Amino acid sequence: ACKVRFPIAIDLQSSSIPIEQRASVAIRLETLLNVHGDASPYHYKVSPAADRSVPLTVILQLETDDGGSGLHYTLDSWSPTVTVTRGAVTPGDDDLLASQLHQLMQQIMVDEHASIALLLRDSPLHANFRDGSAFASEFESLQRRTTRAFKPAPSYHLTISLFSGGSAPSSWDIKTATEQYISPLLGALSSISNFTVDTQVQLHASISPAIAGPTFESATNTWTLLATDLSGFVNAAEWPLSPGIGSGSTINLILYIPHPRQMPLILYGGGNSWIVPQWGGVQIVNPPSNTTSHLSAADLESVMLTFADQLMSLLGVPDSPSSLALRIASLQRQRTISLVLSASSTLGALVRLTRKLQSIAIPKTVAHSVDLTISHLEQACTALSEGDYIAALSSAKVAEAEAEKAFFEPSMVGQVYFPEEHKFAVYVPLLGPMGVPLVMTLIKEVKGLVGRRKEKVKVG
Amino acid sequence: MHLATLLSLPASLALLSLSLASVSPHSYTEHLHLLPLPQSHLHAHFNFTATTPLSAYESSHFRYFPRSLAQILQHTRTKELHLRFTTGRWDDEAWGARPLEGTREGGTGVELWAWVDRGGSKTVAEERWSELVNSLSGLFCASLNFIDSTKTIRPVRTFEPEGDHGEQKGNLQLLHGMLPHEVVCTENLTPFLKLLPCKGKAGISTLLDGHKLFDAKWQSMAIDVRPVCEGKIGEECVLEIQQSVSMALSISRSMRDRHDPIPRPARIEDVECDESKPWNGHDTCFPKALTGEPAWTLSKVLGHAAKGACDLERDDQAFDVTLEVPSDRPVNATGASELTLPSTTRRHYRLSSSSSFDLSLPTQSSPISFIALSIPPLYATRQIAGHGQERGSMHTTLRNPHAHPLTLVYMETLPWYLRPYMHTLRLSNGKQEKMYYTPALDRERGTHLELVLTIPAQSTATLTYDFEKAVLRYTEYPPDANRGFDVAPAVIRVLASNASQDYAGSYVRTTSLLLSLPTPDFSMPYNVIILTSTVIALGFGSLFNLLTRSFVLAEEVPPSPLAGIVRRLQGLAQGMLGKKGGAAEAEKNSGTKEGKVTEISEPVEEETEGKANGIANGHADLRERKARETP
């Protein structure tokens, strides 16, 4: 059995506080953080100096300034460093500082704690941990986030499309724009999934006829789309949004430029973009001039930033803390645990299926896949408890893929649906005529038996 | 003379695409060529060409090049692709040579050939080809996925790559497949239009209407993707996609009222009679042969008027529509500016971006002088001969109408269930120079036959061979098995020879054939099951009865209750009849009857006893019964 453990290594670094004092703060902080013991999946290890026994997770950089004893912190977006600024630390402050840092860490980790509690809630693993109801208030928003996000997959295909209602603009400087705004993000996310990107320009794209369509507001001289129209805005029948051909889901990011006739097109209640859950994001932009034929990289800046934001929510990256590195690390842990859970439940379903249908033949490949799944699940579990989250995630991905492969083995699926009626149709013409004399004789014999009994009774 | 006209059409199109390709690597042009044909037909050729720089293609940034097709090509490493959807037959006796020398048309149904990166081994190319046909099948809503190993061949001489592949060329594998059974229709046109930048919403693509296109006598939709490196040295190569639709419409048929689409015979008042015929009278009318051409407008013939231009960075000198009619014929064009080029028979139009474009031509009653029709490179027909369900023979007639010999490649793809006897292959009046032959393997591979032939000047050559029809397995027949099986058309490519360079590279395709195979009665398996079961059951029943029944004499059988009822009914009926005849007689009858019954019942018991005693030793059952009866 796998015991879910997330070791979190915290380095307490400071140039102004001596190492002895840091050590004492570290011990206190560790005690405070691990207050729940084994009932929490998290195990914090705080060290006053660089300790590399477990892979590093968070760096707490302590700085002192002239302010009071209040504590404020900043997060670095590309590295897991939290810079904490506080007034001068006196030797007696250890307890206060430790409790302040504890609060800070809780603030940073609250989202992740809640997400993990939600993931474990419905699994057999939850019995090992303390009740997650402490986070119940956040479950609803977290669940919304999960339903919005794509299912975890080892690779995603990203399609960025420009749809013009008319014939202009017909070109955009997308190469520069993606290199500038999207590629760095995808680089940071590469530890979670692989991404391939393609872009396209589509002209004469009309809004889906299924919706009531934008209405003209003569007061403001604008065209308005209602919130109810947004779900049917994408014209799936006409817009060439065929999914990517390789493995993995396709995430569609669409920039829509309305037809000059329908400009400016705005959303009722403000905003210009929305997310279609598990499909992609759409945004509407009204260019300053009707005849703009080219969108430069500068024009695309705000568009690309919105796309980046949409992409994050579509992948289920947590909204907080504000540091991207910490959010991705948190997503890594969530992904690993959800993949492990889903692989195990698939395996469980397969076992139930084979128990139910005793006659089903299990091909060698399925057995092999099951073996692989189990070994990778074990590897993922070990890697998790060692804090090697990258290795854990990659093992979990393999386990999930193999489990799915085993479950959806085509030769087994075919066997499940073998029709019994066919055998029936073939044997009835044989068994029917053969059965008739048998049944008739049986009836006769039974009658004869009954008759003889009666006679015996009479004679007796 | 005819050579000039023949070459001028493709040359003008090639020139157009070339001149624009060098302006910008991302480019898009479209062009419609209209040419009235004899017997009041109209040939319309739509061409849409888009290009993308190879670097943008490789980094997946698409502008005019369709992304949906590009990602299939990237995934399957296809370097050059040719896809054709064709219906109908080009009548080359009446209409002359095929448009663009037959290079942009396919055989009836679907035809696909592509150069795929073979990646070092043979199986890789096959896997990629299989992925390619499956993906294209989804993209174009066609049954392309049925092009499996039995329908795939690797032609040697018939096709040459059109693109510039550089050093890669040696590592490419050509694969070719045909589906003659496929019915091309609107569901294939819609995805075809979706690949265009203007999607049938602006420009000449608005003229493409499924109702008219698939009602044409002949139509061919083509998609050709190839890399082009025709720019200056150092300039980037581009990937070009040419989408073209070529069709031959009957003007009178297309001009039919849209609200009354059912073809009906013309009313007798509307038919012009040929009064020169001797049998012409007040009650007989022989319709006059059409000499001129009825009045037509583009919007009626093609179903729509063009809705403005597809205005994408057009060259100022570019024109969208070319009409080829004698210079003395009046033409009325709206919504376009006419461009005059130093050519007498061609009129060029440039569509305006806002108004809709239409052309109208008045009736031409006099026998008009058509643009001199070009003579096709050769006339080819192919038939299946023979009778019976076991054997047949294939006859191909190739007629060379020119004053010089023709060298050509003749290619056939035969399904495996048609087994040719190659020793019976005969060519009359021609010379067979080379033969490439891959024999069929049952259920794995079809026959691939390529012949290099030379046909002497002004003569007809006949190619024949016999074949045997295979008997298929029960499950291999399609639901409409009695319709027959389609055999793919033969593809003929004219080669350059010492005698003449004319027509080199032009293609001619024969029509597809229908092969009827021995077809079983499909209820047979069930009939066999039923019959066998009945025989077994019969045998079983008699054996079972022999073993279990007791055999007694007829007299031993106790009177069955049914017999009593029958007898009583008989009595009643007789009584009724008797009453009619007379009461006395009836009484007498009933009396005798009762007496008889009693009389019979007594001796039966006696006799039974006597006989039973006789048999008793041999039959246990009877002995038992006897014992019971005499307690």
Side-chain angles (χ1 to χ4, degrees):
Chain A
C2 179
K3 195 167 181 320
V4 178
R5 268 173 71 106
F6 299 124
I8 307 276
I10 302 170
D11 268 13
L12 203 60
Q13 294 179 358
S14 176
S15 52
S16 54
I17 302 166
I19 181 95
E20 297 81 19
Q21 197 182 358
R22 268 190 283 154
S24 113
V25 172
I27 291 162
R28 281 155 220 258
L29 179 59
E30 199 174 293
T31 332
L32 280 173
L33 286 169
N34 290 331
V35 68
H36 296 295
D38 278 351
S40 159
Y42 290 93
H43 286 264
Y44 293 94
K45 187 164 169 44
V46 189
S47 58
D51 172 22
R52 294 287 171 269
S53 67
V54 273
L56 179 78
T57 322
V58 185
I59 302 171
L60 281 177
Q61 181 73 39
L62 276 170
E63 300 291 344
T64 49
D65 65 357
D66 301 333
S69 63
L71 181 139
H72 44 102
Y73 65 95
T74 50
L75 294 155
D76 185 78
S77 60
W78 297 105
S79 73
T81 310
V82 186
T83 312
V84 184
T85 326
R86 189 188 183 278
V89 179
T90 53
D93 271 355
D94 291 3
D95 279 325
L96 180 64
L97 183 59
S99 76
Q100 280 175 334
L101 288 176
H102 172 229
Q103 272 178 11
L104 164 72
M105 279 310 293
Q106 272 191 326
Q107 266 179 39
I108 292 174
M109 298 295 286
V110 66
D111 189 274
E112 194 189 329
H113 274 287
S115 313
I116 297 285
L118 178 67
L119 279 173
L120 293 176
R121 189 174 62 165
D122 300 323
S123 77
L125 293 171
H126 85 117
N128 300 343
F129 301 110
R130 85 195 147 100
D131 192 17
S133 57
F135 308 106
S137 59
E138 288 175 48
F139 278 176
E140 202 184 322
S141 71
L142 282 174
Q143 228 145 18
R144 211 177 315 137
R145 195 168 79 198
T146 341
T147 46
R148 211 160 51 193
F150 276 81
K151 295 267 170 296
S155 63
Y156 291 106
H157 185 78
L158 199 61
T159 300
I160 306 176
S161 318
L162 166 68
F163 281 90
S164 292
S167 61
S170 68
S171 69
W172 55 344
D173 202 353
I174 188 66
K175 197 166 173 247
T176 325
T178 45
E179 274 165 13
Q180 237 170 328
Y181 304 106
I182 304 288
S183 303
L185 177 65
L186 296 182
L189 287 166
S190 61
S191 62
I192 294 181
S193 298
N194 295 325
F195 290 90
T196 48
V197 185
D198 66 9
T199 70
Q200 62 174 340
V201 179
Q202 295 293 342
L203 310 173
H204 297 279
S206 53
I207 301 173
S208 167
I211 60 170
T215 44
F216 186 66
E217 305 277 334
S218 47
T220 50
N221 208 21
T222 54
W223 291 81
T224 314
L225 266 180
L226 296 176
T228 49
D229 290 340
L230 299 187
S231 56
F233 178 82
V234 173
N235 193 345
E238 276 185 35
W239 296 4
L241 289 167
S242 48
I245 197 169
S247 61
S249 327
T250 301
I251 304 175
N252 293 286
L253 296 174
I254 290 174
L255 169 63
Y256 185 78
I257 311 279
H259 195 276
R261 257 197 331 260
Q262 288 184 336
M263 254 189 237
L265 182 67
I266 56 161
L267 302 188
Y268 184 78
N272 72 338
S273 64
W274 66 93
I275 281 176
V276 182
Q278 302 193 6
W279 186 85
V282 185
Q283 63 179 305
I284 296 176
V285 167
N286 296 294
S289 143
N290 285 358
T291 50
T292 318
S293 70
H294 180 78
L295 297 173
S296 67
D299 295 333
L300 290 171
E301 185 181 346
S302 67
V303 173
M304 287 298 142
L305 292 178
T306 313
F307 278 159
D309 218 35
Q310 288 180 335
L311 183 62
M312 298 271 271
S313 9
L314 285 165
L315 290 172
V317 182
D319 310 329
S320 67
S322 59
S323 162
L324 184 67
L326 288 178
R327 283 155 74 184
I328 289 172
S330 160
L331 182 65
Q332 249 175 23
R333 288 189 280 271
Q334 292 175 30
R335 275 284 158 91
T336 312
I337 203 75
S338 72
L339 284 173
V340 165
L341 287 175
S342 120
S344 344
S345 82
T346 311
L347 222 51
L350 185 64
V351 170
R352 279 196 296 281
L353 177 79
T354 47
R355 288 221 179 113
K356 215 170 183 179
L357 297 166
Q358 296 282 354
S359 64
I360 201 164
I362 295 169
K364 277 248 162 60
T365 52
V366 172
H368 179 67
S369 291
V370 169
D371 284 345
L372 268 179
T373 312
I374 292 170
S375 72
H376 277 97
L377 278 176
E378 275 163 3
Q379 280 174 28
C381 208
T382 340
L384 262 191
S385 56
E386 281 165 6
D388 189 356
Y389 297 120
I390 294 172
L393 183 60
S394 64
S395 300
K397 276 182 199 167
V398 177
E400 158 82 358
E402 288 294 330
E404 293 287 316
K405 206 169 105 188
F407 191 76
F408 291 106
E409 167 70 34
S411 64
M412 267 169 70
V413 172
Q415 278 164 1
V416 174
Y417 297 111
F418 186 79
E420 293 289 317
E421 293 85 352
H422 281 201
K423 285 184 193 164
F424 191 72
V426 169
Y427 288 117
V428 154
L430 177 66
L431 297 178
M434 269 166 67
V436 169
L438 284 170
V439 171
M440 293 308 284
T441 321
L442 195 74
I443 291 171
K444 213 167 136 191
E445 284 300 311
V446 169
K447 260 189 178 169
L449 208 72
V450 171
R452 259 173 282 163
R453 276 242 177 100
K454 270 184 186 165
E455 265 175 48
K456 259 185 199 166
V457 169
K458 260 187 203 167
V459 170
Chain B
M1 167 64 203
H2 61 252
L3 181 67
T5 47
L6 181 88
L7 292 174
S8 54
L9 172 62
S12 75
L13 293 172
L15 201 83
L16 191 78
S17 56
L18 227 168
S19 64
L20 281 167
S22 58
V23 171
S24 151
H26 279 289
S27 75
Y28 173 73
T29 55
E30 53 178 38
H31 186 248
L32 165 64
H33 191 102
L34 293 165
L35 171 69
L37 295 171
Q39 297 173 4
S40 77
H41 281 76
L42 175 71
H43 173 234
H45 184 94
F46 294 79
N47 181 65
F48 310 92
T49 308
T51 60
T52 181
L54 273 178
S55 65
Y57 169 76
E58 269 145 25
S59 57
S60 301
H61 294 302
F62 304 112
R63 202 172 143 200
Y64 298 133
F65 199 92
R67 180 188 74 102
S68 41
L69 184 63
Q71 65 176 359
I72 292 173
L73 299 182
Q74 282 176 340
H75 188 75
T76 59
R77 306 284 184 84
T78 304
K79 302 298 172 196
E80 187 173 324
L81 172 92
H82 302 273
L83 177 61
R84 306 278 187 269
F85 299 93
T86 311
T87 48
R89 186 177 76 94
W90 176 269
D91 185 355
D92 41 14
E93 302 272 352
W95 304 335
R98 281 144 197 270
L100 293 172
E101 302 174 299
T103 52
R104 289 286 175 267
E105 63 171 78
T108 311
V110 178
E111 185 173 347
L112 170 73
W113 68 101
W115 276 266
V116 181
D117 192 338
R118 82 176 85 179
S121 80
K122 201 179 157 187
T123 49
V124 172
E126 264 163 25
E127 276 164 30
R128 285 177 178 163
W129 170 253
S130 151
E131 274 183 72
L132 177 71
V133 293
N134 280 295
S135 318
L136 288 175
S137 166
L139 185 61
F140 290 103
C141 298
S143 320
L144 279 160
N145 51 326
F146 285 103
I147 301 184
D148 50 9
S149 67
T150 61
K151 293 193 174 105
T152 303
I153 56 160
R154 295 151 191 268
V156 185
R157 294 289 300 271
T158 314
F159 299 100
E160 290 288 332
E162 285 180 23
D164 305 303
H165 296 284
E167 310 103 60
Q168 275 191 331
K169 201 171 174 179
N171 204 25
L172 297 180
Q173 175 69 54
L174 167 65
L175 293 138
H176 178 270
M178 283 201 263
L179 281 179
H181 185 57
E182 184 75 7
V183 181
V184 181
C185 202
T186 355
E187 77 269 18
N188 308 116
L189 178 68
T190 312
F192 181 92
L193 288 179
K194 259 197 199 178
L195 299 180
L196 299 172
C198 285
K199 295 186 184 50
K201 299 209 169 150
I204 57 166
S205 57
T206 50
L207 293 167
L208 286 168
D209 179 352
H211 291 101
K212 300 287 179 188
L213 176 59
F214 298 109
D215 194 34
K217 288 280 178 72
W218 173 83
Q219 73 78 24
S220 188
M221 288 196 284
I223 292 177
D224 297 89
V225 181
R226 58 179 185 139
V228 181
C229 302
E230 279 169 352
K232 295 172 199 84
I233 299 157
E235 211 169 272
E236 209 188 342
C237 293
V238 296
L239 192 69
E240 180 197 82
I241 176 168
Q242 264 194 44
Q243 289 179 255
S244 51
V245 180
S246 203
M247 55 175 152
L249 291 155
S250 157
I251 291 176
S252 53
R253 189 179 164 91
S254 299
M255 293 282 281
R256 229 161 43 199
D257 193 356
R258 236 194 162 163
H259 301 292
D260 186 20
I262 304 158
R264 297 171 210 278
R267 283 182 303 167
I268 194 73
E269 299 89 73
D270 298 342
V271 179
E272 214 179 321
C273 298
D274 190 350
E275 286 167 13
S276 64
K277 299 281 178 194
W279 52 75
N280 185 57
H282 69 280
D283 57 348
T284 38
C285 174
F286 190 83
K288 217 173 195 171
L290 275 176
T291 47
E293 191 181 278
W296 58 272
T297 61
L298 195 62
S299 58
K300 273 203 165 168
V301 169
L302 293 174
H304 301 286
K307 290 177 205 134
C310 179
D311 216 350
L312 299 169
E313 296 169 22
R314 266 196 307 178
D315 186 353
D316 289 339
Q317 292 306 307
F319 44 85
D320 303 289
V321 180
T322 303
L323 174 67
E324 217 172 328
V325 286
S327 48
D328 55 342
R329 195 156 177 200
V331 176
N332 188 12
T334 52
S337 49
E338 192 167 337
L339 268 85
T340 43
L341 274 121
S343 161
T344 47
T345 57
R346 291 184 179 191
R347 297 161 200 231
H348 300 293
Y349 300 95
R350 184 183 164 83
L351 269 58
S352 82
S353 47
S354 50
S355 56
S356 68
F357 166 75
D358 201 359
L359 280 176
S360 67
L361 282 85
T363 317
Q364 186 87 0
S365 51
S366 64
I368 43 169
S369 53
F370 275 98
I371 309 294
L373 280 174
S374 46
I375 302 167
L378 81 161
Y379 298 96
T381 56
R382 183 167 168 243
Q383 302 91 27
I384 286 179
H387 57 86
Q389 299 213 306
E390 202 187 342
R391 277 163 222 279
S393 68
M394 192 77 83
H395 282 249
T396 311
T397 315
L398 305 164
R399 180 155 71 86
N400 176 7
H402 304 288
H404 55 80
L406 272 181
T407 309
L408 51 91
V409 187
Y410 174 84
M411 186 190 85
E412 271 190 351
T413 317
L414 302 175
W416 64 264
Y417 39 79
L418 191 151
R419 295 177 184 140
Y421 292 136
M422 293 315 287
H423 68 279
T424 60
L425 185 75
R426 299 274 180 279
L427 178 70
S428 74
N429 196 17
K431 205 172 115 220
Q432 182 186 320
E433 289 175 5
K434 252 183 188 156
M435 177 163 149
Y436 305 88
Y437 172 61
T438 319
L441 289 175
D442 279 5
R443 296 177 179 85
E444 271 174 46
R445 179 172 87 184
T447 308
H448 158 220
L449 174 67
E450 267 180 282
L451 299 169
V452 181
L453 308 173
T454 302
I455 299 169
Q458 304 278 10
S459 64
T460 305
T462 321
L463 185 75
T464 60
Y465 58 84
D466 295 345
F467 60 80
E468 184 195 57
K469 300 173 186 178
V471 178
L472 300 188
R473 285 183 193 144
Y474 174 62
T475 47
E476 283 168 342
Y477 286 93
D480 55 346
N482 286 303
R483 179 186 165 269
F485 291 74
D486 292 88
V487 178
V491 182
I492 299 158
R493 177 185 177 212
V494 181
L495 295 178
S497 66
N498 297 336
S500 169
Q501 297 291 315
D502 296 355
Y503 304 106
S506 54
Y507 285 88
V508 173
R509 281 171 175 83
T510 64
T511 49
S512 66
L513 298 174
L514 206 54
L515 171 77
S516 70
L517 289 186
T519 316
D521 168 14
F522 288 100
S523 65
M524 189 181 65
Y526 197 68
N527 294 348
V528 168
I529 290 173
I530 299 257
L531 198 73
T532 325
S533 301
T534 313
V535 168
I536 291 175
L538 210 71
F540 171 81
S542 24
L543 204 69
F544 180 79
N545 282 344
L546 265 174
L547 291 173
T548 59
R549 283 266 165 100
S550 56
F551 290 88
V552 292
L553 292 171
E555 293 81 16
E556 278 183 273
V557 180
S560 101
L562 203 70
I565 294 168
V566 171
R567 222 174 290 151
R568 206 166 294 160
L569 282 175
Q570 248 176 357
L572 270 174
Q574 275 175 348
M576 297 256 281
L577 285 170
K579 260 176 199 166
K580 267 185 186 169
E585 218 180 332
E587 240 175 350
K588 207 170 123 191
N589 263 351
S590 68
T592 51
K593 194 184 145 207
E594 261 171 45
K596 256 186 196 165
V597 171
T598 43
E599 264 171 32
I600 290 166
S601 60
E602 273 170 320
V604 161
E605 254 179 15
E606 270 176 30
E607 246 179 280
T608 318
E609 251 173 73
K611 287 215 172 146
N613 280 333
I615 308 170
N617 294 336
H619 211 294
D621 194 35
L622 274 182
R623 216 182 327 163
E624 193 196 61
R625 188 176 292 192
K626 206 199 115 201
R628 257 192 283 137
E629 276 169 4
T630 53

